[in-house]
Amino acid sequence: MLCQRQQLILLGVLVAVGLSGADKVHNIDELTGRRFNKARFSTEVATDKYTPPEEKDPQFWYDLAHEEIAKRLQLPQPDVKRAKNLILFLGDGMSLTTVAAARILKGQRQGKTGEESSLSFEQFPYTGLSRTYCSNAQVPDSACTATAYLCGVKTNIIEIGVSAAVSFNNCTESQTPENRLTSIAEWAQNAGKSTGIVTTTTLTHASPSGAYAKTANRNWECDTDVASYGVDPSECVDMATQLITQVPGKNFDIMFGGGMGKFLPKSIQDSHGNPGERSDDVNLLASWQARHEGGVLVTNRKQLLSVNVSAVSSIIGLFQSSLMKFHLDADESYQPTLSELTEVTIKKLSQNENGYFAFIEGGLIDYGNHYTKAGYALDEALEFEKAIQLARDMTDIEDTLIVVTSDHAHTLSIAGYPGRGTPILGLNQHDTDINGIKYSTLNYAVGPKNYLDEKGQRIDLTDQIGGNDFEYPGYITKEQGTHSGDDVGIFASGPQSHLFTGMMQQSTIPHLMAYAACIGDGPQLCDAK
């Protein structure tokens, strides 16, 4: 007979095979390259996902970051101020084309032609470019990139908080001490600073998890997920449990996002009317409350805005069972905006006289681009830039460093030669294709809709285009749009922001922020004084 552990793993494998990729947007088989040539639960590196051996050692990336810092310090230093507070704003999937299109849409919503407009962070004094590839991926996902910009080390695609020496889905390798990384959130906590994570996705999604999780599979969000990939959850701790019970997650002062189901057992209905997702019958929110006397749980906008931040020790906000809703679809009386989440975060964290580190993500820009619904993606980008403006207005530029960047790009393009003021979400009124058919200004290289007739010719979209939920044309047909390997922008304001210029490895970003705030074990501004 099979032992209990073997039965659990076998059951998990059967469940996972039936699921065939729980996240339809970030499909594991697609990201690993196993869709055509690898077994689902193989822990071997896919043959087409090569990792240079030297990059498996975290020290490789530390050394490279220190070299990039040293080169910048050889230039004239216009600023000697130390950053007391650090805020990293992450626009998930916010390619430079998304930035440009959002800028135009902002202006057009204001009744202008649009091209002359500016997003709040575009007015920051210093800009640079980030190289987004990961150790085994020319085009990355949000897991390996989160490890780069939060832990300062590039790793393999799908993995979070572990080095590139760890293979996909390999629990044992992810538990090896030398493969486990620390994040800038932990560096800040060690320096006595308050910390918080904010996202419009789920608290266990890839981007925010880079601040606290160590996992060989980004989809191990709860114990049920771990088992679904053929791994024993009693041996490999899921990400929700890591957040509530392990350092640095358990020490966060603020945790705002969606994904309530990952923290509750299936026997409990969450605050949004859906059953929990955990199979271990553990109520992690009750565990968190027991560990945080004076902590408060909020689940809607009214509760959030009613919190007296001076009277509570910490706040966890879970505003949907899964992902938060797009701003365009949300009930404004129920779901808070990213700006409101940002405001409460800064008010709470700023009570610490030693300062703070906050990670704030506009996570649904990525989903809008995956769905090739540019209207949603651009609106999410505009919500993101509002939150950044609010943060800059609420903080002192003399002591608070704000860095804005993206994890990866998308295949969105602005095509043809449309005239000034052409509606960015509409058709190019100044050009046609070879058959005389007008085409959309925005297009995706990869997407589900080609808009071709039975003869393979493009159809006229005049009567279809323009709505927020319109799916823009794609050239290569897939179920969803995909990421791209473009460089992404970095925008910085505040102490030491002059260091965030030029081209840099994505993994250098947290090291530069740590330098500015004199935290972590690497080079520090304080050492130079």
Side-chain angles (χ1 to χ4, degrees):
M1 293 181 64
L2 294 173
C3 68
Q4 184 177 8
R5 176 187 171 194
Q6 289 173 320
Q7 290 175 330
L8 177 62
I9 292 177
L10 178 59
L11 176 62
V13 172
L14 294 174
V15 171
V17 171
L19 290 176
S20 186
D23 189 334
K24 295 180 180 179
V25 168
H26 304 98
N27 184 281
I28 292 294
D29 293 339
E30 180 180 31
L31 293 173
T32 57
R34 287 172 174 77
R35 171 170 285 187
F36 302 106
N37 60 2
K38 284 287 177 180
R40 180 173 176 79
F41 302 111
S42 170
T43 56
E44 299 175 11
V45 177
T47 54
D48 56 341
K49 298 282 187 178
Y50 167 72
T51 303
E54 66 275 11
E55 295 185 13
K56 294 181 179 181
D57 184 354
Q59 193 61 43
F60 174 88
W61 298 106
Y62 273 70
D63 290 344
L64 186 56
H66 297 166
E67 289 176 11
E68 291 195 340
I69 293 174
K71 289 179 181 179
R72 284 165 170 76
L73 295 180
Q74 291 175 358
L75 301 172
Q77 300 298 299
D79 179 14
V80 296
K81 300 183 184 70
R82 173 181 176 179
K84 175 183 177 181
N85 308 311
L86 302 170
I87 305 178
L88 177 58
F89 275 96
L90 193 284
D92 198 310
M94 190 179 69
S95 62
L96 288 174
T97 304
T98 303
V99 171
R103 171 202 313 147
I104 295 171
L105 180 61
K106 178 182 179 179
Q108 291 181 348
R109 284 181 172 180
Q110 296 170 339
K112 304 173 184 176
T113 55
E115 295 82 5
E116 71 285 354
S117 187
S118 291
L119 303 179
S120 59
F121 54 87
E122 290 184 301
Q123 300 179 53
F124 282 8
Y126 296 99
T127 60
L129 291 172
S130 168
R131 302 171 68 180
T132 63
Y133 71 91
C134 288
S135 289
N136 69 341
Q138 192 172 78
V139 176
D141 77 328
S142 295
C144 60
T145 51
T147 306
Y149 62 74
L150 286 167
C151 300
V153 174
K154 292 200 176 193
T155 191
N156 295 325
I157 198 166
I158 303 175
E159 298 173 7
I160 302 172
V162 295
S163 75
V166 176
S167 304
F168 164 68
N169 219 54
N170 192 311
C171 177
T172 301
E173 291 178 351
S174 70
Q175 300 293 325
T176 304
E178 57 265 30
N179 293 338
R180 294 167 71 83
L181 308 173
T182 58
S183 74
I184 189 172
E186 187 168 346
W187 308 343
Q189 288 178 7
N190 291 339
K193 296 182 183 295
S194 293
T195 50
I197 55 172
V198 178
T199 180
T200 50
T201 61
T202 67
L203 286 180
T204 51
H205 216 257
S207 300
S209 296
Y212 66 86
K214 298 166 179 59
T215 180
N217 185 338
R218 61 178 284 174
N219 276 3
W220 290 351
E221 296 185 54
C222 73
D223 68 307
T224 306
D225 301 324
V226 176
S228 76
Y229 281 88
V231 175
D232 186 346
S234 68
E235 293 189 359
C236 224
V237 180
D238 64 89
M239 290 148 62
T241 300
Q242 289 185 46
L243 177 58
I244 298 300
T245 68
Q246 296 183 1
V247 173
K250 69 178 184 179
N251 296 325
F252 287 152
D253 301 86
I254 291 288
M255 295 181 285
F256 289 156
M260 194 171 193
K262 301 297 183 183
F263 298 87
L264 296 174
K266 296 177 180 179
S267 58
I268 294 179
Q269 189 176 74
D270 71 18
S271 300
H272 311 290
N274 298 302
E277 299 182 39
R278 302 192 66 84
S279 301
D280 57 9
D281 205 33
V282 172
N283 184 333
L284 286 174
L285 298 182
S287 299
W288 179 84
Q289 191 69 70
R291 294 167 183 265
H292 296 80
E293 184 178 355
V296 62
L297 166 68
V298 295
T299 60
N300 59 52
R301 180 177 184 269
K302 181 179 179 180
Q303 292 175 358
L304 173 74
L305 300 183
S306 298
V307 173
N308 179 353
V309 296
S310 300
V312 299
S313 61
S314 49
I315 315 171
I316 182 170
L318 290 161
F319 304 103
Q320 294 292 345
S321 300
S322 185
L323 300 172
M324 291 178 66
K325 294 184 181 299
F326 284 116
H327 168 252
L328 288 171
D329 294 339
D331 179 347
E332 295 181 359
S333 66
Y334 186 78
Q335 178 177 291
T337 65
L338 185 59
S339 291
E340 290 168 338
L341 297 174
T342 298
E343 181 174 6
V344 175
T345 296
I346 293 175
K347 285 181 177 179
K348 177 57 186 171
L349 298 185
S350 62
Q351 293 178 327
N352 188 338
E353 62 182 13
N354 293 320
Y356 59 84
F357 167 79
F359 171 79
I360 303 175
E361 181 193 26
L364 298 181
I365 302 170
D366 179 61
Y367 276 80
N369 278 326
H370 272 297
Y371 297 153
T372 66
K373 295 184 177 182
Y376 279 102
L378 302 189
D379 183 76
E380 290 296 317
L382 294 180
E383 287 300 297
F384 182 63
E385 71 105 18
K386 290 176 186 176
I388 295 166
Q389 183 63 64
L390 176 66
R392 189 68 286 175
D393 291 342
M394 288 183 66
T395 56
D396 188 346
I397 198 170
E398 297 293 316
D399 69 8
T400 302
L401 171 63
I402 298 180
V403 177
V404 180
T405 190
S406 177
D407 48 355
H408 56 75
H410 267 272
T411 67
L412 180 67
S413 67
I414 304 177
Y417 305 96
R420 181 72 180 270
T422 297
I424 193 63
L425 294 175
L427 291 177
N428 179 355
Q429 299 296 330
H430 299 88
D431 195 17
T432 65
D433 67 8
I434 197 171
N435 296 313
I437 303 298
K438 292 179 181 179
Y439 55 89
S440 57
T441 300
L442 298 179
N443 295 273
Y444 289 87
V446 180
K449 296 288 187 68
N450 297 132
Y451 296 105
L452 304 178
D453 63 19
E454 63 277 3
K455 296 181 180 180
Q457 302 297 317
R458 291 182 53 260
I459 63 174
D460 188 345
L461 296 175
T462 301
D463 296 331
Q464 298 185 47
I465 199 169
N468 290 317
D469 61 351
F470 176 76
E471 294 177 83
Y472 281 78
Y475 164 63
I476 299 169
T477 309
K478 286 179 69 71
E479 299 90 346
Q480 303 283 350
T482 68
H483 301 170
S484 67
D486 310 23
D487 300 328
V488 295
I490 306 173
F491 309 83
S493 171
Q496 303 301 307
S497 55
H498 64 279
L499 299 176
F500 293 84
T501 56
M503 175 70 71
M504 70 182 71
Q505 292 287 1
Q506 191 171 52
S507 50
T508 297
I509 293 172
H511 295 287
L512 284 172
M513 297 184 75
Y515 172 87
C518 297
I519 60 176
D521 296 328
Q524 296 184 6
L525 172 67
C526 300
D527 296 335
K529 292 183 177 180

